[in-house]
Amino acid sequence: MAQSPAATIDSAEIARFESMAADWWDPDGKFRPLHRMNPLRIGYIRDRICARLGRDPLAPKPLSGLRILDIGCGGGLLSEPMARLGATVTGVDAGAEAIGVARAHAAESGLAIDYRCSSAEDLAASGIRFDAVLALEIVEHVADVDAFCQALGALLRPGGTLVMSTLNRTRRSWAVAILGAEHLLRIIPRGTHEWRKFLKPHELAAALRRAGLEVGDIAGMVPDPRGGGWRLAPHHLAVNYILTAAKPG
């Protein structure tokens, strides 16, 4: 039986994040870990896209002229920095409440971002293509990983760059992300993650290759106790990791 266009959407996951939508821009709220991680994510995305295109990442608007898609954009924590770096940004999320928050915050910030309540599949079916696609902290929440990766590949123009991040399925990730962060420290709400849906790097890389993409850099992301933020750790993939892939062309 053919899948519906939104086959990767997990309605329970969407409902869970919709209940937290008002907290997206509170740096000390339920999305505090993403706020702390954001400088690292922004720098990684900027640097990898610029390296692929031969651009200066320290230029005033290094992503100028590029069309970037932020899938699972939530309240816009990544979409807004990408717009400030010069990109033309489309942010997509299946949660209407999150999109409402994102639109309101972008308007307050004077940023023109095309926010849409939709899915990766629906957008891919429209025929629109992007220079870069971002899918950070979302693949562990989708219902069908292969279908999701196929949609991401379809959304990239030939030669385009994909950046993804997620959680590894290891004993350590269960101890850190679920037991520690959700149950003991209560940094994030209980039930935010389901450990069995975490993906090992080789599993995600295989899904991307099946989607016709070439996997490049993979690096771990670990908390940096010195500054309170996060840092790249190329050989520490046991919990959080980030990667780039490219569409041949």
Side-chain angles (χ1 to χ4, degrees):
M1 180 180 295
Q3 292 181 318
S4 65
T8 67
I9 291 178
D10 186 323
S11 58
E13 295 277 13
I14 298 304
R16 184 177 299 116
F17 281 93
E18 286 286 79
S19 69
M20 301 185 286
D23 285 344
W24 269 109
W25 286 96
D26 180 357
D28 297 313
K30 294 174 182 177
F31 294 101
R32 177 184 174 187
L34 292 185
H35 283 271
R36 296 294 179 89
M37 192 184 291
N38 226 26
L40 170 61
R41 302 194 304 172
I42 295 164
Y44 180 93
I45 293 165
R46 177 201 63 200
D47 292 351
R48 295 312 183 274
I49 293 175
C50 286
R52 183 166 178 79
L53 296 176
R55 296 188 175 199
D56 179 4
L58 301 181
K61 298 283 186 180
L63 304 183
S64 179
L66 300 181
R67 299 182 70 187
I68 293 183
L69 172 65
D70 182 10
I71 286 285
C73 65
L77 299 189
L78 276 176
S79 294
E80 290 199 9
M82 294 300 108
R84 290 191 176 94
L85 290 171
T88 299
V89 180
T90 298
V92 170
D93 200 282
E97 293 288 337
I99 288 296
V101 170
R103 286 172 175 161
H105 198 275
E108 292 173 2
S109 303
L111 296 171
I113 297 173
D114 179 14
Y115 283 117
R116 307 185 188 188
C117 186
S118 186
S119 68
E121 293 87 348
D122 286 340
L123 201 62
S126 75
I128 190 171
R129 300 294 179 261
F130 296 87
D131 299 294
V133 173
L134 315 179
L136 280 70
E137 283 72 55
I138 181 176
V139 69
E140 69 271 23
H141 300 291
V142 305
D144 186 327
V145 171
D146 271 310
F148 183 67
C149 290
Q150 290 287 340
L152 297 181
L155 285 162
L156 277 173
R157 67 162 179 79
T161 301
L162 170 68
V163 180
M164 299 184 75
S165 63
T166 189
L167 287 146
N168 199 345
R169 193 176 67 257
T170 62
R171 292 180 179 178
R172 186 172 180 184
S173 71
W174 179 85
V176 171
I178 296 178
L179 178 61
E182 293 188 18
H183 291 268
L184 298 179
L185 300 177
R186 299 184 180 180
I187 298 171
I188 55 178
R190 289 189 181 187
T192 298
H193 295 111
E194 189 175 346
W195 182 80
R196 70 177 181 84
K197 294 178 75 173
F198 292 179
L199 291 166
K200 292 180 178 293
H202 73 86
E203 294 171 340
L204 181 54
L208 293 172
R209 285 193 289 269
R210 287 192 292 271
L213 302 176
E214 298 173 346
V215 180
D217 175 74
I218 302 179
M221 298 188 294
V222 299
D224 184 356
R226 295 170 298 178
W230 289 64
R231 62 180 177 84
L232 285 178
H235 303 295
H236 293 81
L237 307 179
V239 184
N240 296 83
Y241 65 96
I242 191 166
L243 63 79
T244 57
K247 185 170 185 175

